[in-house]
Amino acid sequence: MERLDILVTYDVNTISEEGKARLARVAKVCKNYGQRVQMSVFECRVTRAQLEELEAKLLKVIEPDKDSLRIYTLPGGREKCLRTHGQDRYQDFDDPLVL
Amino acid sequence: MERLDILVTYDVNTISEEGKARLARVAKVCKNYGQRVQMSVFECRVTRAQLEELEAKLLKVIEPDKDSLRIYTLPGGREKCLRTHGQDRYQDFDDPLVL
């Protein structure tokens, strides 16, 4: 089944306790579909159906009048699109694990 | 000349004063090429040469052992790739201004 690499970026006021709690909930949802690569950036690999499902779940968490949620699809896949510098939390679970 | 839509995401510890200052410098550099759409996410439209120039400038600002910088190209353009919810700071300067 075709899978899409997508990027979820979420902007919330983390000074407020409610904002921190929403960010934690967004992270929890996203981690079921991919991984956290920055504090408020998540890379997920999903089917089209999962993308709709993920989006619907996130819309239940965010406060539209306070937060910003952006979902970008990365046509051709993340490897083709991405340059990363500095700290990189990403772990490719498709790669064989090096011990 | 061909232009690429790119996304710059920058993760820095903004609790420290040095982190805040680096985020401000990253924002200043990125704003010459595009706009800030979230606290640490910037959308830029650049030529290939500008992409290299922007990346080189950002590498002078970040602390690689503390920060994370990710640059994603959006093949086919941002309009094709993006779903946005909640607050949206983006302004399309190519669109006619509605007064």
Side-chain angles (χ1 to χ4, degrees), chain A residues 7-11 40-41 68-70 72, chain B residues 7 9 38 41:
Chain A
L7 201 68
V8 177
T9 71
Y10 177 57
D11 205 20
S40 59
V41 178
S68 162
L69 174 71
R70 300 173 88 83
Y72 299 87
Chain B
L7 200 68
T9 71
Q38 290 184 350
V41 178

Side-chain angles (χ1 to χ4, degrees), chain A residues 2 9-10 12-13 15 23-24 35 59-61 65-66 69 71 73 78 88 90 93-96:
Chain A
E2 191 208 6
T9 71
Y10 177 57
V12 62
N13 179 350
I15 294 170
L23 176 58
Q35 54 187 291
L59 289 180
K60 286 185 190 163
V61 175
D65 57 333
K66 293 179 186 157
L69 174 71
I71 302 175
T73 51
R78 64 182 290 285
D88 190 352
Y90 186 84
F93 293 106
D94 293 336
D95 269 0

Side-chain angles (χ1 to χ4, degrees), chain A residues 63-87:
Chain A
E63 289 272 353
D65 57 333
K66 293 179 186 157
D67 309 342
S68 162
L69 174 71
R70 300 173 88 83
I71 302 175
Y72 299 87
T73 51
L74 301 174
R78 64 182 290 285
E79 293 80 4
K80 203 181 125 193
C81 297
L82 173 64
R83 300 178 182 201
T84 175
H85 298 286
Q87 301 300 300

Side-chain angles (χ1 to χ4, degrees), chain B residues 9-10 17 19 34 46 82:
Chain B
T9 71
Y10 178 57
E17 286 305 315
V46 291
L82 173 64

Side-chain angles (χ1 to χ4, degrees), chain B residues 18-76:
Chain B
E18 296 79 9
K20 275 184 198 162
R22 288 203 301 282
L23 176 58
R25 292 216 296 280
V26 163
K28 198 173 167 188
V29 170
C30 287
K31 282 177 179 172
N32 285 328
Y33 300 87
Q35 54 187 293
R36 191 175 206 162
V37 293
Q38 290 184 350
M39 186 54 69
S40 58
V41 178
F42 306 86
E43 286 185 7
C44 304
R45 183 162 286 173
V46 291
T47 62
R48 291 236 164 243
Q50 284 174 325
L51 170 57
E52 303 305 327
E53 185 183 81
L54 170 59
E55 186 174 39
K57 284 181 186 171
L58 291 175
L59 289 180
K60 286 185 189 162
V61 175
I62 71 163
E63 289 272 355
D65 56 335
K66 294 179 187 156
D67 308 343
S68 162
L69 174 72
R70 300 173 88 82
I71 302 174
Y72 299 87
T73 51
L74 301 174

